[in-house]
Amino acid sequence: MAKITKEDALRYHAEGKPGKIEVIPTKPYSTQTDLSLAYSPGVAEPCLEIEKNPLDAYKYTSKGNLVAVISNGTAVLGLGNIGPLAGKPVMEGKGLLFKIFAGIDVFDIEVDEKDPDKFIETVKAIAPTFGGINLEDIKAPECFKIETRLKEELDIPVMHDDQHGTAIISGAGLINALEVAGKKIEEVKIVVNGAGAASISCTKLYILLGAKKENIIMCDSKGVISTHRTDLNESKKYFATDRDIKTLEEAVVGADVFLGLSVANVLTKEMVRTMNANPIVFALANPNPEISYTDAMDSRDDIIFATGRSDYPNQINNVLGFPYIFRGALDTHAKAINEEMKLAAVYAIAELAKEPVPDVVNAAYKLKRTTFGRDYILPKALDPRLLTRVSCAVAKAAIKSGVSRKTITDWDGYANQLREMMGYDNKLLRSFTDMAKANPKRVVFAEANHVNMLKAAAEAKAEGICFPILLGNEERLAKIAAEESISLEGIEIVNLRHDRETERRHRYAKILSEKKAREGVTYAEACEKMVDRNAFGMMMVATGDADAFVTGVYSRYSEVTKMAEQIIGIRPSYTHFGALNILTCKKGTFFIADTLINRHPSTEVLIDIARLTQDAVKFFAHEPVMAMLSYSNFGSDKQGSPQKVHDAIDYLHKNYPDMMVDGEMQVNFALDKKLRDEMYPFNKLKGKDVNALIFPNLSSANSAYKLLDTLGISETIGPIQMGLNKPIHFTDVESSTRDILNLTTVAVVDAIVQEQIEKKLTIDN
């Protein structure tokens, strides 16, 4: 991780609009009617409904998605008692995390009050505004009293994240670390250094998870908390040991687990070496842990080590928990966050770490691969699956334990709703995935020795999307799979160099040469082609030995597309084929063509692309409304590519009058129907939202979709070929595993539709 300087941090918070969060309207406000509905007189109606039924506040206001992050600044993020105003940047930061990870809105509230009773009264007075309260950075022992009272006296979830957030995440980490170490929680000896709010909460949660109180030793700044001491408050007395030891150094001898929530550099390499085999060390002091990562790794080879830092493996990070715990609590209108909900979060987080890590997560952290083990006992903070796994688990626990006021029964629907809310879901792709799983097909992966394609094939098999057929050398594929922890169990591998494939190569060559005899293809030439994996794989599909084909991460698309045209052929009634990408963003789903095949299309090619795009958009269950783009509008430029587009539109309007297409037009006119209709009221698309954009050349189409994808404005699926006789699909050289998996799903659906068409033709004939 790059070093963060003081200048960088101050600039980040000050540049542009100061701070990190803002409030934005969620309803229209551009007309007088809008304003009358938003305020007077329209606002009276929901007020009266809430007066009759207070729970209607969840229906008519933001209460159900609004959390207060409240602090008095007495224990701010390793900075100590710096006061409420100085703590505001931290509270804003917490609000930002709530929003970006779980879609929860936040008001940060800094209260200038240290007296616990007065602080409690202040929070109680403003509580009706919120669906939940996140207490933050309040020092012990006052934080215990404040949280306990507020939980007893309010009917909304209250959680002091410094206590329970760390407890929940470290608890999940402990469960998994013990599994890696081969130890049982009820048998291990645990040493806790630090006796503040987080330490006490963590230790109590470990006991709930099965740890024995008599096996736990807690230390504070004065040493071991023991029954021999007379300076203990009630919270510390609960953990006092009667063992005759006084120092941390004595306590860790023979220990299995060390949990540090104290200060830097109090645990030495020598002390770690006195611990039991496979010691678990959670050094969570921030920013510098109780023992540095380097010293911990030097101390012994069998250590399982975690810190609170993002630049080392196994980060104990509260963001794995609190956004999703509150999400589940808010969505059930829970009256509290209870122990059952916390434990549900612990187990959900722990289980997720044992599952294969999505490619998108590895890419975000620039990791080659991530698998459950010593260096991966917790999910990464950017793992999008946390939203659904943890939120659903917490919501279920809220309902089961009786603190919810709203019941959820459709859990798949709830998970989909969460993904849609955060933009993690693509409804179109999800529907295609369901379709593929219901009728998986045989898909040939031509370049299986590329790690991304091999991963995609394995994931497609594991998810039931297809039956992969890998073209390649078994030994090389096995080596890559072992290095990347990819399971090839049950996956067919075809090695073209094997003698057993000789007969098939010759059979394919005979079929191809007979098919293309009058195009100059001889049997000898066809035999030579069949040692090429792309040609061989396409012939598998052409002959029915497979149903679909994916290639492109190594191959030059210009060569492979020519090969596909020769072997597979173009659909009847067309003379060209093309490709499109599907872009999904907040404004909807858009289809972009042609993104791969035709570099400088003529008028005739543009006509075919428009017709193919119309078919493709219908195939994806959308009604096509197409704009053919250029840098000019409706004949204003009579030369070059605008004229080609203009001529294509003229032909389409005359020969396909029902086709909803117009142009040439600039992209802003295509996407802004009000602007388009006011300036050009004669346009054929009047009053309609465009969902398909046909570009005048390959350069502009390819650049457009890659720009939007790279900027994170949209997610893309494709390129998806349109116009070939069989499901032959081409990836880009930079395609990720996820890209290839998405394209594989489309290829399977393409094969399903192709099968249905062929069956219908057979019946008709």
Side-chain angles (χ1 to χ4, degrees):
M1 186 177 73
K3 181 174 174 25
I4 301 299
T5 67
K6 176 181 178 180
E7 291 74 17
D8 289 337
L10 294 177
R11 187 183 307 113
Y12 173 86
H13 286 81
E15 279 185 348
K17 183 181 288 187
K20 297 187 287 285
I21 56 177
E22 65 177 351
V23 177
I24 58 173
T26 61
K27 297 293 188 293
Y29 53 86
S30 58
T31 69
Q32 182 59 45
T33 301
D34 293 337
L35 296 178
S36 296
L37 289 168
Y39 196 55
S40 180
V43 75
E45 299 304 329
C47 291
L48 294 172
E49 293 299 308
I50 294 168
E51 183 186 27
K52 289 186 287 186
N53 178 17
L55 291 181
D56 275 353
Y58 287 97
K59 183 177 181 181
Y60 295 116
T61 77
S62 63
K63 179 183 176 76
N65 196 52
L66 186 61
V67 166
V69 174
I70 303 181
S71 177
N72 63 3
T74 53
V76 178
L77 196 65
L79 301 174
N81 184 4
I82 61 174
L85 186 59
K88 183 174 174 62
V90 177
M91 306 312 130
E92 286 188 354
K94 196 66 176 277
L96 182 147
L97 297 177
F98 266 111
K99 187 66 175 179
I100 65 174
F101 286 109
I104 294 171
D105 296 315
V106 163
F107 291 156
D108 65 289
I109 298 173
E110 292 72 39
V111 180
D112 190 9
E113 183 55 73
K114 294 181 181 179
D115 180 271
D117 293 315
K118 292 181 180 178
F119 185 89
I120 290 166
E121 290 307 311
T122 301
V123 175
K124 283 176 61 180
I126 63 173
T129 306
F130 303 99
I133 290 174
N134 180 98
L135 298 171
E136 193 77 14
D137 293 352
I138 303 169
K139 73 181 182 72
E142 289 90 336
C143 62
F144 301 122
K145 176 181 179 179
I146 289 170
E147 187 194 43
T148 300
R149 283 265 313 275
L150 288 173
K151 288 175 72 172
E152 290 172 352
E153 298 175 26
L154 292 178
D155 65 347
I156 57 174
V158 177
M159 188 172 85
H160 186 210
D161 188 50
D162 301 306
Q163 298 179 57
H164 307 296
T166 305
I168 289 164
I169 311 309
S170 68
L174 180 61
I175 289 172
N176 285 344
L178 289 170
E179 182 174 330
V180 172
K183 298 180 180 183
K184 296 180 179 180
I185 193 167
E186 64 270 18
E187 297 175 356
V188 294
K189 178 182 173 183
I190 301 173
V191 175
V192 180
N193 196 58
S199 300
I200 289 171
S201 185
C202 287
T203 310
K204 286 183 176 179
L205 183 65
Y206 296 173
I207 293 171
L208 280 177
L209 293 172
K212 301 296 184 185
K213 183 181 173 185
E214 58 268 26
N215 292 339
I216 298 171
I217 298 173
M218 184 177 287
C219 304
D220 61 12
S221 59
K222 297 179 182 178
V224 172
I225 295 173
S226 72
T227 54
H228 308 298
R229 287 174 52 178
T230 59
D231 60 342
L232 304 178
N233 59 34
E234 290 303 314
S235 298
K236 292 182 181 181
K237 283 181 181 178
Y238 179 80
F239 295 104
T241 180
D242 57 7
R243 293 178 57 187
D244 189 22
I245 52 175
K246 296 182 179 179
T247 66
L248 174 63
E249 184 176 10
E250 294 174 290
V252 297
V253 175
D256 299 284
V257 178
F258 170 87
L259 170 67
L261 287 153
S262 53
V263 295
N265 303 319
V266 294
L267 187 70
T268 66
K269 290 191 282 187
E270 290 70 25
M271 291 162 70
V272 174
R273 289 174 184 140
T274 67
M275 296 176 70
N276 273 340
N278 294 309
I280 297 164
V281 176
F282 290 176
L284 307 185
N286 263 327
N288 298 311
E290 284 77 3
I291 180 172
S292 70
Y293 179 79
T294 302
D295 284 352
M297 293 300 102
D298 285 345
S299 67
R300 51 197 297 171
D301 295 333
D302 60 346
I303 191 171
I304 301 170
F305 186 65
T307 69
R309 294 177 55 138
S310 60
D311 49 349
Y312 300 127
N314 299 325
Q315 184 188 18
I316 307 288
N317 188 343
N318 286 16
V319 81
L320 298 179
F322 70 81
Y324 317 114
I325 294 167
F326 273 94
R327 182 76 272 162
L330 290 172
D331 291 340
T332 54
H333 299 176
K335 292 179 280 189
I337 293 173
N338 57 23
E339 298 304 318
E340 292 89 341
M341 294 160 75
K342 294 177 203 169
L343 288 174
V346 170
Y347 289 117
I349 294 166
E351 285 301 312
L352 184 58
K354 299 174 189 177
E355 297 182 18
V357 178
D359 184 65
V360 66
V361 177
N362 285 326
Y365 289 91
K366 296 181 173 59
L367 299 172
K368 185 178 180 182
R369 64 183 184 274
T370 310
T371 55
F372 180 67
R374 291 181 186 273
D375 289 335
Y376 181 68
I377 57 172
L378 285 166
K380 296 292 186 181
L382 295 179
D383 193 326
R385 300 172 300 172
L386 285 161
L387 174 66
T388 53
R389 300 300 179 81
V390 181
S391 300
C392 286
V394 170
K396 287 177 182 177
I399 294 168
K400 188 175 181 180
S401 63
V403 298
S404 70
R405 287 174 288 210
K406 178 183 176 183
T407 299
I408 298 169
T409 55
D410 180 4
W411 292 102
D412 288 339
Y414 175 53
N416 290 334
Q417 175 189 324
L418 292 173
R419 282 190 288 263
E420 288 173 22
M421 174 189 69
M422 295 305 296
Y424 296 154
D425 188 47
N426 185 319
K427 286 183 181 179
L428 181 65
L429 185 60
R430 178 156 44 87
S431 68
F432 271 47
T433 301
D434 293 341
M435 188 175 176
K437 287 181 177 180
N439 190 7
K441 297 298 179 185
R442 300 163 298 171
V443 178
V444 179
F445 293 84
E447 299 162 330
N449 55 328
H450 189 289
V451 65
N452 287 354
M453 188 162 279
L454 192 62
K455 284 182 178 179
E459 287 185 27
K461 169 73 164 55
E463 292 185 22
I465 290 170
C466 74
F467 304 108
I469 302 170
L470 309 180
L471 302 186
N473 179 283
E474 304 96 317
E475 292 181 0
R476 183 173 181 190
L477 294 181
K479 183 175 183 293
I480 296 170
E483 290 174 351
E484 300 290 335
S485 301
I486 302 169
S487 172
L488 299 182
E489 185 178 354
I491 296 180
E492 180 182 354
I493 299 174
V494 175
N495 188 336
L496 275 62
R497 307 296 178 183
H498 280 178
D499 291 341
R500 63 174 177 265
E501 297 301 336
T502 302
E503 183 279 327
R504 183 150 54 167
R505 289 201 309 274
H506 287 298
R507 176 163 57 88
Y508 289 167
K510 185 173 184 295
I511 293 170
L512 180 61
S513 62
E514 289 175 353
K515 179 181 177 182
K516 297 291 182 181
R518 292 194 175 273
E519 295 178 25
V521 178
T522 66
Y523 174 72
E525 289 172 332
C527 280
E528 188 175 333
K529 281 183 181 294
M530 286 309 112
V531 298
D532 183 289
R533 278 184 282 182
N534 285 312
F536 186 91
M538 290 180 194
M539 283 301 299
M540 291 182 73
V541 177
T543 59
D545 289 346
D547 303 301
F549 174 85
V550 177
T551 190
V553 285
Y554 285 133
S555 305
R556 292 171 63 94
Y557 82 87
S558 56
E559 296 173 1
V560 181
T561 54
K562 287 178 183 176
M563 190 181 293
E565 185 175 349
Q566 183 182 62
I567 294 173
I568 300 298
I570 296 171
R571 283 165 48 189
S573 80
Y574 292 94
T575 55
H576 309 88
F577 74 107
L580 62 74
N581 277 68
I582 304 173
L583 303 182
T584 57
C585 62
K586 290 182 178 180
K587 287 187 174 293
T589 299
F590 295 90
F591 301 85
I592 309 294
D594 165 23
T595 55
L596 185 66
I597 309 299
N598 301 285
R599 294 178 179 175
H600 301 287
S602 64
T603 295
E604 291 71 24
V605 174
L606 288 170
I607 290 167
D608 268 5
I609 291 172
R611 293 172 59 214
L612 288 167
T613 301
Q614 177 178 247
D615 291 347
V617 175
K618 286 182 177 179
F619 172 79
F620 288 105
H622 286 66
E623 191 60 37
V625 180
M626 301 183 292
M628 298 189 74
L629 303 179
S630 186
Y631 57 78
S632 61
N633 289 305
F634 299 101
S636 61
D637 192 322
K638 304 294 186 183
Q639 301 179 30
S641 65
Q643 188 62 43
K644 292 178 187 177
V645 178
H646 187 83
D647 291 344
I649 286 291
D650 186 54
Y651 179 90
L652 292 169
H653 282 180
K654 289 176 181 176
N655 292 276
Y656 299 91
D658 294 332
M659 183 182 289
M660 196 55 61
V661 62
D662 213 338
E664 83 282 14
M665 68 180 83
Q666 295 171 345
V667 70
N668 56 322
F669 287 93
L671 297 178
D672 186 339
K673 64 184 178 185
K674 183 179 179 182
L675 177 65
R676 181 181 69 234
D677 293 351
E678 286 179 355
M679 290 286 292
Y680 306 102
F682 57 81
N683 80 85
K684 191 173 182 177
L685 311 181
K686 195 167 184 178
K688 294 185 178 294
D689 291 313
V690 166
N691 58 13
L693 301 171
I694 299 170
F695 284 76
N697 53 53
L698 177 60
S699 177
S700 57
N702 191 273
S703 297
Y705 95 77
K706 288 190 174 181
L707 174 66
L708 295 173
D709 187 42
T710 303
L711 293 176
I713 294 170
S714 67
E715 182 179 2
T716 181
I717 305 171
I720 301 165
Q721 74 83 8
M722 47 185 189
L724 293 175
N725 280 319
K726 295 282 185 178
I728 307 297
H729 290 274
F730 316 100
T731 67
D732 278 342
V733 291
E734 71 274 17
S735 293
S736 67
T737 299
R738 184 178 181 181
D739 294 333
I740 300 169
L741 182 63
N742 290 348
L743 191 64
T744 301
T745 304
V746 172
V748 171
V749 174
D750 195 357
I752 292 169
V753 173
Q754 184 73 26
E755 182 181 63
Q756 293 170 348
I757 292 171
E758 290 173 358
K759 283 181 180 178
K760 185 177 184 301
L761 289 173
T762 302
I763 293 169
D764 291 344
N765 293 332

